[in-house]
Amino acid sequence: MIVPTTTELSPAARIDTLARETGRRVAVVYEGSTYGYAALAEQARRLAAALARGGAGDGDRVVYLGGNSVTFLTTFLAAARLGAVFVPVNSRLTAPEVAIVLADCAPHTIVAEPEYRPIAEAAAPGPARLLSVPGDPALAVGEAPPPWESLPAETPAAPAAVHCEPGRIAMLAYTSGTTGRPKGVELTHGNLWWNGINQDMVATAAALDVTLVVAPLFHTAPFGCFMLRTLMRGGTVVLRRGFEAANMLADLETYGVTTVFAVPAMFAAVAARDDFAAADLSALRTAVTAGAPAPAPLIERYRERGIALQQAYGLTETLFVAYLPADRIAAHPGSVGLALPYTDIRIIDPSDPELPGAAALPPGERGEVVLRAPTVARGYRNKPEATAEVFADGWFRTGDIGYLDPDGYLYLVDRRKDMIIVGGDNVYSAEVEQVLGRHPDVEDVAVVGLPDEHEGESVVAIVTGHTATGLAELRRFAEQELARYKLPTRVVHAERIPRNAMGKIDKPAIRAALAAGDENIFSAAAAAPAETPATAPVVTPAPAPDPVPAWLFSLPSLPPDEQHRLVFDVVVAGIARTIRGARPVVGPEDRLQDIGLGSLAAVELARRLGDTFRLRLPSTTLFDHDTVDALVRHLCAQVAAGNARPEVLDRLTDFERAVRDAPADPAVRAELRTRLRGALNRLAVDDRPLAPVPAGAATDRDLFALLDAELGPA
């Protein structure tokens, strides 16, 4: 399957065409700002001109370091216009991790948002050009300090878009391997083009579609499989800087979203909201999840809302290769779907060295999943041996173990190597083990993933050593080299780490023992148990908020130290309920990032605390405070402010007194009626949090009853 070389596959040329034909149609909605196709094309040409002025051209690597933004997209389009290779870097990586990527790709230019410039400077190889850009092109961030260059204020003439044949490399998508060293996957323009064709056969994208993107764009699924595909067909992309459950649900409803992709943990966070059941999601036609298994209760929760949560399967090296049709979900629970139209999937003996000629195993028999498709990447940059191990004549070894049923539905039964998926991000245990193993008090270490209701899986480190090194110390030791989502959220101190007969760490046995709560496996006298399959991740909806505690009514009147003690106890209890394996003792000066708080768990904890204190807490609350004590002081202040008596309540009190003492003069009673109606209206639109009503106080119902009894119908 080869596209004729005369076919123009340039995404930059396609955006130019859409700008000419439908320039005012909205291409991107980004954090409240809208960009038509003409504006998007102009921004991309402006950036392309700046890149070309610095000498970037055919085959040069253009790195982007930043978050989800319009500039992420325009950098890709600018690189494509010049025939350069776009290299999106995981925005969560530390400078040492970024340095490994940059050393491998040898960038010509590094395009970075202002907040990422320090990481880029620390990681950049000497010759690279540094270009500072705002994440939102509408923002003016001023001149960047040397050695950074800034985008010119004007839009100079940009070169015409180069011809993009199918074999031209479009982007390098970096993914870690079993050694923890990242590999640059060479995805071509043909791969991206065929991915759109393949997906359109099962989940059509059209000009009037609206796609919501909340997952990080440095992943190929949200970028190539959804955002880019929608734009190439003239649709609209609603792009969020990051994920927040409240925003995602509001966006689905407000913008009439027709297509959305998210990992299961994101869908679960949305479904756990109180307003999920009442939200108007009638426009949503396609909801796709991947990156981790979608639990049956989560699928059922969306089915109750008339939404088929479709499982999909793919890898960075292949893009999407399987989809579970919406009408087959109930009949094939647990399947990741059928092979896409231009894709062959085969199950082979993992020990078979001949990939193209390997015999397919019969239906139901487990083996390694291999596949062939025009979406399979060319290989890994600068790694011929690694490429030869898994790529051969259009086929690719996934390393995943699974089986095909008699009808061709694919089921995965084991993880590729020792990968852990935290909130949709891949974490390789070997990489974490290498860093933790350098700690002076750690003699031996094993890292595994365990099911986590917020993140899908959590990172657990089993360590041996003469000194019991705590979680906070290990996280602080590793945070300079590892992104936060890779850091362990639990540490198990062991006398021994189980190994099999080959001397390899027995990770299936470790996972099974930890899932069962049995740590005897780590005692010196224990014999290594037989291998047991890992427990599948489970995502459950968040519990309903607790009843309003009685002490909340009187909290503002307590002495400051007593307020602090009560709020501190609630926060610690919330941490214990939210973070599996959290330390039993948490101190005021403990840093929140040292107690194993992942991003989605932080969102859940903020929700719990907001429910308990009846506050409207943004999901970023926990990231805005460094220590537990700082968070507690913030909550004390919020509760005190929230319990302040609104002025309108004093007006209502005056009204009660006036009604009681007023004469029967109709004019006076008419005036009182008007005052009360106005006061109640102001109370209804007051957006400040109101204090819980203590026992014995007049309620809204009492006030309305008073109105009816004293004044009669209005």
Side-chain angles (χ1 to χ4, degrees):
M1 282 173 278
I2 297 181
V3 182
T5 56
T6 54
T7 301
E8 178 56 76
L9 303 184
S10 170
R14 175 60 177 160
I15 293 297
D16 284 349
T17 299
L18 289 168
R20 291 192 301 270
E21 296 176 352
T22 57
R24 297 183 65 181
R25 180 184 296 169
V26 175
V28 180
V29 178
Y30 174 65
E31 297 295 342
S33 298
T34 58
Y35 296 83
Y37 275 91
L40 182 65
E42 180 182 1
Q43 295 290 352
R45 288 193 294 267
R46 177 187 178 198
L47 185 50
L51 292 173
R53 185 180 62 184
D58 190 8
D60 289 329
R61 273 72 58 201
V62 175
V63 165
Y64 187 82
L65 187 57
N68 282 10
S69 67
V70 177
T71 310
F72 185 109
L73 173 61
T74 56
T75 303
F76 168 78
L77 295 173
R81 175 176 289 276
L82 303 177
V85 179
F86 178 60
V87 187
V89 176
N90 185 333
S91 58
R92 302 176 182 177
L93 298 183
T94 62
E97 292 169 315
V98 173
I100 295 173
V101 171
L102 299 185
D104 183 74
C105 74
H108 176 282
T109 302
I110 299 173
V111 180
E113 296 180 22
E115 59 265 44
Y116 291 90
R117 291 198 302 243
I119 293 178
E121 290 176 10
R129 179 191 182 204
L130 302 177
L131 183 62
S132 179
V133 296
D136 185 343
L139 296 178
V141 295
E143 291 295 320
W148 290 89
E149 302 177 39
S150 300
L151 284 175
E154 73 284 355
T155 303
V162 303
H163 174 68
C164 289
E165 66 279 1
R168 179 186 287 274
I169 300 176
M171 62 187 296
L172 279 175
Y174 275 84
T175 180
S176 296
T178 56
T179 63
R181 303 292 293 184
K183 299 189 293 291
V185 179
E186 297 179 325
L187 291 168
T188 67
H189 285 283
N191 295 148
L192 296 174
W193 189 87
W194 273 106
N195 175 73
I197 298 299
N198 246 355
Q199 284 189 257
D200 280 351
M201 298 290 187
V202 295
T204 306
L208 298 181
D209 276 351
V210 179
T211 295
L212 175 62
V213 176
V214 295
L217 285 175
F218 55 76
H219 288 304
T220 55
F223 176 67
C225 301
F226 288 88
M227 183 181 197
L228 184 62
R229 182 169 69 107
T230 297
L231 291 172
M232 293 300 98
R233 284 145 184 78
T236 298
V237 173
V238 178
L239 176 63
R240 279 289 183 178
R241 183 74 170 174
F243 168 74
E244 187 171 326
N247 286 342
M248 179 172 171
L249 183 58
D251 289 344
L252 290 172
E253 188 171 14
T254 301
Y255 296 104
V257 170
T258 59
T259 304
V260 64
F261 166 82
V263 298
M266 293 176 177
F267 278 118
V270 171
R273 290 189 54 81
D274 293 337
D275 48 351
F276 175 72
D280 180 6
L281 305 179
S282 56
L284 187 56
R285 183 184 69 244
T286 303
V288 179
T289 188
L298 180 62
I299 294 175
E300 177 61 21
R301 184 79 172 92
Y302 278 84
R303 189 198 64 78
E304 292 171 352
R305 292 299 328 274
I307 300 168
L309 198 57
Q310 294 179 256
Q311 188 81 38
Y313 172 61
L315 303 93
T316 303
E317 294 90 341
T318 67
L319 304 175
F320 277 173
V321 293
Y323 257 86
L324 184 59
D327 59 348
R328 316 288 176 84
I329 294 174
H332 298 274
S335 171
V336 295
L338 295 166
L340 289 176
Y342 298 100
T343 303
D344 296 324
I345 294 179
R346 185 183 297 174
I347 307 297
I348 68 170
D349 185 337
S351 63
D352 195 328
E354 298 297 328
L355 179 55
L361 297 177
E365 188 167 339
R366 299 182 179 190
E368 183 175 9
V369 180
V370 299
L371 56 93
R372 177 176 58 183
T375 59
V376 172
R378 291 199 341 178
Y380 300 120
R381 173 178 167 82
N382 294 335
K383 290 180 172 54
E385 293 182 359
T387 298
E389 287 178 2
V390 294
F391 293 92
D393 295 338
W395 286 90
F396 176 74
R397 284 184 180 270
T398 67
D400 289 330
I401 304 300
Y403 66 91
L404 293 168
D405 72 7
D407 297 321
Y409 289 85
L410 176 62
Y411 293 80
L412 301 178
V413 297
D414 202 358
R415 281 287 161 79
R416 178 178 54 178
K417 309 302 182 190
D418 293 315
M419 186 172 69
I420 305 166
I421 299 181
V422 178
D425 288 307
N426 294 347
V427 178
Y428 287 85
S429 59
E431 179 185 20
V432 183
E433 287 166 353
Q434 289 173 5
V435 175
L436 297 182
R438 291 196 286 270
H439 191 284
D441 294 329
V442 173
E443 294 180 353
D444 197 3
V445 59
V447 171
V448 298
L450 287 184
D452 181 272
E453 64 179 350
H454 308 295
E455 308 280 1
E457 284 187 304
S458 60
V459 179
V460 179
I462 301 92
V463 299
T464 66
H466 297 297
T467 302
T469 309
L471 175 64
E473 183 177 349
L474 284 177
R475 287 175 64 90
R476 292 184 185 185
F477 177 82
E479 68 183 358
Q480 299 303 317
E481 297 186 59
L482 298 175
R484 181 174 295 179
Y485 68 87
K486 298 179 183 181
L487 299 176
T489 59
R490 177 183 172 190
V491 171
V492 177
H493 295 99
E495 296 177 356
R496 61 181 290 275
I497 292 180
R499 282 178 158 76
N500 59 24
M502 298 297 293
K504 294 183 179 180
I505 297 174
D506 196 348
K507 292 188 177 181
I510 292 174
R511 285 191 291 264
L514 291 176
D518 179 14
E519 296 185 6
N520 291 328
I521 190 175
F522 306 119
S523 68
E531 290 191 5
T532 306
T535 305
V538 176
V539 179
T540 57
D546 295 331
V548 180
W551 53 260
L552 186 58
F553 301 132
S554 58
L555 185 65
S557 62
L558 296 176
D561 58 341
E562 186 66 8
Q563 289 186 31
H564 189 280
R565 184 188 65 79
L566 283 171
V567 175
F568 179 84
D569 289 345
V570 172
V571 170
V572 171
I575 291 172
R577 291 178 60 193
T578 306
I579 308 173
R580 182 173 299 181
R583 294 207 310 269
V585 178
V586 176
E589 299 307 317
D590 283 345
R591 297 196 310 168
L592 289 168
Q593 68 183 53
D594 291 338
I595 61 176
L597 195 67
S599 57
L600 292 177
V603 171
E604 174 60 12
L605 181 53
R607 187 198 66 79
R608 285 186 189 277
L609 295 175
D611 288 344
T612 300
F613 292 110
R614 299 306 187 261
L615 296 173
R616 297 172 184 147
L617 296 178
S619 61
T620 58
T621 297
L622 275 76
F623 298 115
D624 295 334
H625 299 87
D626 187 45
T627 64
V628 174
D629 183 72
L631 174 62
V632 169
R633 293 182 183 279
H634 171 75
L635 292 174
C636 287
Q638 289 288 97
V639 170
N643 279 271
R645 181 178 176 87
E647 180 183 355
V648 69
L649 291 182
D650 293 328
R651 297 282 301 276
L652 290 176
T653 300
D654 294 338
F655 169 81
E656 290 180 271
R657 186 179 303 110
V659 167
R660 185 176 62 251
D661 301 331
D665 186 335
V668 173
R669 301 183 73 80
E671 180 184 355
L672 291 174
R673 179 189 294 114
T674 301
R675 287 170 53 194
L676 177 60
R677 290 291 186 191
L680 290 175
N681 287 337
R682 285 190 294 276
L683 184 60
V685 300
D686 193 337
D687 61 357
R688 292 193 306 161
L690 295 180
V693 179
T699 64
D700 287 350
R701 180 175 297 180
D702 297 329
L703 292 171
F704 277 103
L706 177 66
L707 173 68
D708 294 336
E710 294 291 331
L711 301 180

